[in-house]
Amino acid sequence: SAVISQKPSRDICQRGTSLTIQCQVDSQVTMMFWYRQQPGQSLTLIATANQGSEATYESGFVIDKFPISRPNLTFSTLTVSNMSPEDSSIYLCSVRDRTNTEAFFGQGTRLTVV
Amino acid sequence: AQSVTQLDSHVSVSEGTPVLLRCNYSSSYSPSLFWYVQHPNKGLQLLLKYTSAATLVKGINGFEAEFKKSETSFHLTKPSAHMSDAAEYFCVVSEGGGYQKVTFGIGTKLQVIP
């Protein structure tokens, strides 16, 4: 299994500002995943972060809005840029096990934009 | 393409009575199916997974699910609900085996009444 620590656990931010979310894993992993969970909705994949290369973004998500860093095999950051109230969501970091049959999730970052 | 439908957004049961959370899926290939639980302010935790082995899958905390290909269903059950089962439950489908591209259901919020 993998233990994932996310920071911050929650934040309230002013519109127009940016927030960087950190994700730390207790083991080395090839891919890290960032999800968004909007109020009352399910999880949507934002992007996949590979160490040493550009993140791969899903349809509807762009690098300028959600820049991602992946400096090593245990750490990643997601930045929510130029925030608006529509960005209010829970953001979750996820990794998979070696057999790629189970995913592990951080506890999430609950973001409120006012 | 794949999709997953959780038929109930909210389910309410009395403590000690059976739990049934319904999930139907659509997949072009042999799917892998998962159930995750999310307790308030916590990350998602894997309850159980089906990856083409036995169709009746037993998970943690007394939960089990049966993969029924003819009905394209993967309903989650528990014989007797406990107060600690109150949480949100997500059905997840992945095509091609393992945890490739995944799709999350919208979630079912389980309420347990004392």
Side-chain angles (χ1 to χ4, degrees):
Chain A
S1 66
V3 177
I4 302 174
S5 301
Q6 256 184 262
K7 291 183 195 178
S9 58
R10 59 178 64 227
D11 207 341
I12 301 173
C13 301
Q14 296 290 324
R15 69 178 67 200
T17 63
S18 298
L19 175 73
T20 296
I21 302 167
Q22 299 179 6
C23 178
Q24 179 76 52
V25 190
D26 68 344
S27 58
Q28 293 184 337
V29 292
T30 305
M31 294 188 290
M32 296 177 77
F33 304 86
W34 287 98
Y35 288 86
R36 180 176 71 182
Q37 185 180 19
Q38 292 178 297
Q41 297 192 27
S42 188
L43 279 74
T44 302
L45 181 64
I46 297 172
T48 303
N50 295 312
Q51 194 267 333
S53 64
E54 291 264 326
T56 303
Y57 289 82
E58 297 299 306
S59 175
F61 298 96
V62 295
I63 187 171
D64 289 347
K65 176 67 177 177
F66 297 102
I68 288 171
S69 79
R70 183 78 203 274
N72 58 54
L73 291 173
T74 63
F75 187 79
S76 178
T77 67
L78 170 76
T79 299
V80 186
S81 303
N82 188 24
M83 289 183 285
S84 67
E86 292 71 35
D87 295 320
S88 298
S89 293
I90 299 173
Y91 293 85
L92 294 115
C93 171
S94 175
V95 302
R96 297 181 185 166
D97 69 346
R98 291 180 183 276
T99 64
N100 206 31
T101 57
E102 182 173 347
F104 302 95
F105 292 85
Q107 69 182 55
T109 297
R110 187 178 294 270
L111 170 62
T112 303
V113 183
V114 297
Chain B
Q2 62 192 24
S3 66
V4 58
T5 303
Q6 290 185 244
L7 297 158
D8 307 291
S9 59
H10 288 83
V11 170
S12 184
V13 300
S14 297
E15 190 176 17
T17 64
V19 175
L20 170 64
L21 305 183
R22 298 182 294 168
C23 173
N24 285 98
Y25 70 91
S26 171
S27 175
S28 302
Y29 305 98
S30 297
S32 294
L33 294 152
F34 309 80
W35 275 99
Y36 280 85
V37 60
Q38 185 179 34
H39 290 275
N41 301 315
K42 297 282 180 68
L44 281 82
Q45 180 186 18
L46 180 68
L47 274 179
L48 49 81
K49 60 185 177 184
Y50 166 78
T51 54
S52 79
T55 56
L56 181 61
V57 181
K58 294 188 184 299
I60 61 172
N61 300 335
F63 284 94
E64 63 181 40
E66 187 171 7
F67 173 71
K68 292 187 177 180
K69 187 175 180 179
S70 60
E71 298 177 11
T72 61
S73 69
F74 191 59
H75 302 332
L76 182 70
T77 61
K78 182 174 180 177
S80 175
H82 191 272
M83 293 300 294
S84 61
D85 294 328
E88 187 145 25
Y89 292 79
F90 293 93
C91 183
V92 180
V93 64
S94 171
E95 282 186 339
Y99 214 103
Q100 310 303 324
K101 186 92 174 190
V102 299
T103 301
F104 282 78
I106 199 165
T108 299
K109 189 161 286 188
L110 176 65
Q111 180 186 21
V112 182
I113 302 167

